[in-house]
Amino acid sequence: AQRGLAQAYLDVKKLPEARDAAVALITMPLLAPDDAGRAQEQAERRMLQGEAYRRNGQREEALAAYRKLLEVAPDSPLATQALVGIGA
């Protein structure tokens, strides 16, 4: 529910609310039953967090979120998007 809320805020350009929801999402327990699923879930959360920070003009925080995505889920399809977000 929290992930959907953060995405909905981004979609309607309520950027501070999107950022806050994405940050809160990071601290919530992962729901996937296996390591691969948890890695992908973390990747999705970090991508959402990075996007929320980026759209709020918080470049350094966005970069940190994208780097964390690459750390926790380097094999995720989102890793390529994270590299673009970093500017690599």
Side-chain angles (χ1 to χ4, degrees), residues 17-65:
E17 293 89 345
R19 179 202 53 227
D20 294 346
V23 169
L25 181 61
I26 296 299
T27 64
M28 296 179 139
L30 298 170
L31 303 175
D34 58 25
D35 288 343
R38 285 189 292 276
Q40 183 59 28
E41 192 174 342
Q42 283 186 343
E44 291 168 1
R45 290 177 179 195
R46 292 295 176 175
M47 180 56 74
L48 184 60
Q49 183 186 41
E51 179 66 7
Y53 277 134
R54 184 187 67 77
R55 290 181 60 187
N56 269 284
Q58 296 175 274
R59 187 175 190 283
E60 292 305 314
E61 292 85 348
L63 292 174

